[in-house]
Amino acid sequence: MTMPLVLVAVMVVMYSCGVYLMLDRTLTRLLLGFLLVGNATNLLIFLMSGSFGDAPLSGDTAAEDMSDPLPQAFILTAIVITFGVSAFFLALIYRSWRLAQDLDDTVQDDESDLELATTEALATVEVTDEDLAETQEFDDEENGDAANDVPTDNVRDTDTGTDTETDEHSAPDSPGGDRR
């Protein structure tokens, strides 16, 4: 088996240029690098297929003199795969170009997402002592016996740093107490 030296040199140059282009962050260079590597791989498969022979479907030639059709099938499959991936890269390049050029092609904010984000922001607002002082007192007698069955909680006093067990409706020990 002899390989044409010129085709081997072309394959090596195509691989090296393709890998160099694929290391760049630009999508266009990535596409060109991918095409070069794909064609270099096809050339590698072609060079590894052995010596050239007659067409395998002719019927008049002995089996030893025919060329192997399997590498040709591999090359055809690789061409189709390279074409599909190239089309995908072209779509990515076109989409990124549209996003960079058109201001109208921006993704719009979803109203329900904004509402949910606002609701979460309201839920995380810290209650201050002034907010607690402005709230109305809860009257146990208006709500009946159900209000008396509330379990007790631990209240942490921020001034002394101690935990005290209190009733749900009783006030903390100090006016600056933080209830958690």
Side-chain angles (χ1 to χ4, degrees):
M1 179 174 133
T2 59
M3 286 189 181
L5 190 59
V6 175
L7 289 179
V8 173
V10 168
M11 180 190 68
V12 169
V13 169
M14 288 173 71
Y15 265 124
S16 58
C17 291
V19 168
Y20 175 75
L21 287 174
M22 287 178 76
L23 292 176
D24 200 281
R25 299 185 84 178
T26 310
L27 286 177
T28 307
R29 290 185 182 184
L30 184 67
L31 173 66
L32 292 175
F34 178 76
L35 289 175
L36 280 175
V37 168
N39 285 322
T41 303
N42 291 340
L43 192 57
L44 174 68
I45 293 171
F46 177 71
L47 290 174
M48 290 176 50
S49 66
S51 60
F52 304 113
D54 292 333
L57 298 177
S58 65
D60 297 334
T61 310
E64 300 85 31
D65 297 333
M66 292 181 185
S67 63
D68 189 10
L70 189 60
Q72 296 171 9
F74 284 152
I75 291 172
L76 287 175
T77 305
I79 288 171
V80 171
I81 291 171
T82 304
F83 178 74
V85 175
S86 300
F88 178 70
F89 274 122
L90 283 173
L92 282 179
I93 291 169
Y94 176 72
R95 182 69 180 157
S96 68
W97 178 77
R98 288 283 310 252
L99 288 175
Q101 297 298 319
D102 293 339
L103 297 176
D104 295 332
D105 197 21
T106 57
V107 176
Q108 301 295 324
D109 293 333
D110 189 17
E111 295 296 328
S112 61
D113 286 345
L114 290 175
E115 183 177 323
L116 182 63
T118 306
T119 305
E120 288 178 1
L122 290 176
T124 58
V125 171
E126 195 168 311
V127 178
T128 62
D129 293 336
E130 291 84 22
D131 294 336
L132 290 175
E134 291 175 1
T135 56
Q136 295 179 351
E137 291 294 326
F138 185 75
D139 191 11
D140 290 340
E141 295 177 6
E142 291 180 5
N143 293 323
D145 293 335
N148 294 331
D149 296 335
V150 177
T152 60
D153 289 333
N154 287 336
V155 176
R156 181 162 185 90
D157 189 1
T158 56
D159 294 335
T160 60
T162 59
D163 289 338
T164 58
E165 187 171 323
T166 61
D167 187 47
E168 177 75 24
H169 304 290
S170 65
D173 294 333
S174 66
D178 186 13
R179 216 158 169 206
R180 294 181 189 199

